[in-house]
Amino acid sequence: MSTPPTADNILQSPILIMAKRAALMRAQGRDVIDLTLGEPDFNAPPHVLEAAHAEVSGRLTYSPSNGIEPLRHAIRMRMKDIRNLDYADGQVTVGCGAKQIIYNAFQATLKSGDEVIVPAPYWASYPAMIKMCGARPLIVSTTREEGFRLTAEHLEAALRLAKSPKWVVLNAPGNPSGSLYSRKQLLAIAEVLRRYPGVMVLSDDIYSEIRYTNDPYQTLAAVAPDLRDRILIVDGVSKVYAMTGWRVGWGCGPTPLITAISSVQSQNCTQTSTLSQLAAVAALNGSQALVKERNAIYRQRRDSALSVLGACEAIDVACPEGAFYLLPRIRTIKDDQAFALILLEAGVATVPGSAFGIPGHLRLSFATDESILIAGCERLVQKIKASV
């Protein structure tokens, strides 16, 4: 039986804990390079800022809990354009970031004793949110050899063991792995899911447009349309448009689920900021040229960091296909949490892999200036060499 969440047993985000420690040290005058947060160092696109400035002088009133109609329409059109998926208006809802959409979905559907299958490495907030809803995360470990992806075989094994499975989480490009799923891999997963008709799928696509491959993006709802009434696609403006603080995300899925998510939203915060929603409309409807330009910058940063890390024999790091994280395995350490604190004292802030269900690793964000990133990676390598 799951333990009900209380103020004492709700864990803080380990990512934010490390970021706060780094910020405190910097406020004290310490030289700390912060590679913790998945927050782009770019500004929102100029046309988005112009749209927001134009609206801010007007009267910004309450808006529907499921989002303003122009934003829902823009989301629907964007889903059709980039994923070839048609959604009706009642199949779209808006929240205060993708994170809130995920939590609202779990809150609307989970009860004590339910289980959610979460592949590791995972975004650190998935297990915490599941536990807060009284359910249990069922962690399925993946390997570097598997590309840090959930395989159909592992999914089948997990579903057989589960007593009350309600959701399977798919996140691609993955945070922190950067891994993508191929069409073939998703078809194999779909075949397993067809044998478990009561299980829903959370398709967290928040990094879907930050990719370093020319191959079309593959998402389960498009690959297996017969499963669409069990799939919730989650996305938002935070990552691709560098609009983290605007807090706008959305979910697209079956009408009953979307209605339930909107009902939760109406009770826990009424609505997403009206001004932020108007800015999101401008982001989706405006020029997408900056997306390609910034992806090229991210790719350059990734490659530069890989060059520095790859020169150290004690580091094993895969090349991410998307998102903006590196997940190096440090062969010479036994405790990644302790080593992350040692690194912090040495002037580089990272997040221990244990926070993502993959001990022995570190997560480094390359959503920062290239020169700063390289300096941080060099400090990491120097500390590893000094500790051997």
Side-chain angles (χ1 to χ4, degrees):
M1 186 67 68
S2 300
T3 302
T6 68
D8 293 329
N9 63 26
I10 295 176
L11 298 177
Q12 294 186 52
S13 165
I15 303 169
L16 296 181
I17 288 174
M18 291 300 291
K20 287 178 182 177
R21 286 174 173 167
L24 178 60
M25 292 174 66
R26 295 174 74 172
Q28 295 169 343
R30 301 278 297 275
D31 176 19
V32 177
I33 294 174
D34 188 355
L35 304 180
T36 60
L37 292 177
E39 180 167 41
D41 59 328
F42 303 115
N43 205 346
H47 64 274
V48 171
L49 299 177
E50 291 171 6
H53 287 153
E55 296 287 353
V56 75
S57 60
R59 183 168 180 261
L60 299 172
T61 61
Y62 284 127
S63 59
S65 60
N66 64 335
I68 59 175
E69 192 280 331
L71 179 53
R72 298 196 308 271
H73 181 267
I75 292 165
R76 292 169 56 210
M77 295 303 99
R78 191 76 180 140
M79 291 293 288
K80 186 173 183 178
D81 289 343
I82 66 176
R83 293 184 179 86
N84 197 30
L85 291 171
D86 283 308
Y87 285 95
D89 183 69
Q91 295 177 311
V92 178
T93 192
V94 176
C96 303
K99 191 173 194 175
Q100 190 188 40
I101 292 292
I102 295 170
Y103 180 77
N104 286 353
F106 287 157
Q107 187 66 48
T109 57
L110 294 175
K111 63 181 184 301
S112 180
D114 286 344
E115 296 155 315
V116 178
I117 294 172
V118 182
Y122 48 71
W123 177 44
S125 289
Y126 293 140
M129 289 193 285
I130 293 163
K131 292 175 183 177
M132 288 171 67
C133 294
R136 183 171 73 94
L138 192 61
I139 307 301
V140 179
S141 295
T142 67
T143 67
R144 164 80 182 272
E145 293 69 31
E146 296 164 340
F148 297 122
R149 301 179 187 91
L150 178 67
T151 66
E153 293 75 17
H154 288 329
L155 175 59
E156 180 83 60
L159 287 169
R160 285 178 179 174
L161 287 174
K163 296 179 180 178
S164 181
K166 295 298 181 183
W167 287 91
V168 173
V169 174
L170 295 177
N171 174 213
N175 174 7
S177 69
S179 295
L180 289 162
Y181 287 90
S182 69
R183 178 179 177 84
K184 181 179 179 180
Q185 289 160 346
L186 289 174
L187 284 171
I189 287 173
E191 191 59 35
V192 174
L193 289 167
R194 291 186 182 102
R195 295 193 285 273
Y196 298 87
V199 177
M200 295 179 288
V201 179
L202 169 65
S203 185
D204 185 349
D205 295 3
I206 191 66
Y207 294 97
S208 61
E209 293 187 63
I210 303 177
R211 308 193 311 279
Y212 313 114
T213 171
N214 293 323
D215 297 332
Y217 182 67
Q218 303 293 340
T219 193
L220 187 64
V223 169
D226 60 303
L227 299 180
R228 270 190 56 178
D229 62 352
R230 296 161 54 188
I231 299 171
L232 174 67
I233 293 181
V234 179
D235 208 338
V237 299
S238 291
K239 310 298 183 181
V240 67
Y241 299 111
M243 294 174 64
T244 53
W246 296 80
R247 305 314 303 140
V248 180
W250 53 82
C252 299
T255 302
L257 175 62
I258 294 300
T259 300
I261 292 172
S262 299
S263 295
V264 174
Q265 171 85 347
S266 72
Q267 296 296 346
N268 65 23
C269 75
T270 305
Q271 60 151 103
T272 304
S273 161
T274 303
L275 179 61
S276 293
Q277 290 187 71
L278 292 167
V281 172
L284 291 173
N285 288 344
S287 170
Q288 304 298 306
L290 272 182
V291 175
K292 281 190 175 182
E293 292 175 16
R294 291 175 176 180
N295 279 358
I297 294 172
Y298 285 138
R299 180 197 290 268
Q300 175 60 39
R301 293 174 179 178
R302 178 200 68 176
D303 293 346
S304 296
L306 284 172
S307 179
V308 175
L309 298 176
C312 179
E313 292 183 357
I315 297 177
D316 175 31
V317 57
C319 181
E321 299 170 286
F324 36 62
Y325 306 104
L326 295 173
L327 189 63
R329 179 171 71 90
I330 314 301
R331 296 187 177 101
T332 55
I333 65 171
K334 295 181 179 179
D335 186 337
D336 59 297
Q337 298 181 62
F339 189 66
L341 293 176
I342 291 171
L343 283 175
L344 185 58
E345 286 298 320
V348 56
T350 63
V351 186
S354 295
F356 309 98
I358 187 163
H361 293 67
L362 299 171
R363 191 192 79 168
L364 284 61
S365 169
F366 55 87
T368 191
D369 179 81
E370 185 175 354
S371 62
I372 294 173
L373 172 67
I374 291 173
C377 291
E378 289 174 343
R379 290 185 187 183
L380 168 60
V381 169
Q382 290 168 5
K383 193 62 183 179
I384 291 173
K385 290 180 177 179
S387 64
V388 174

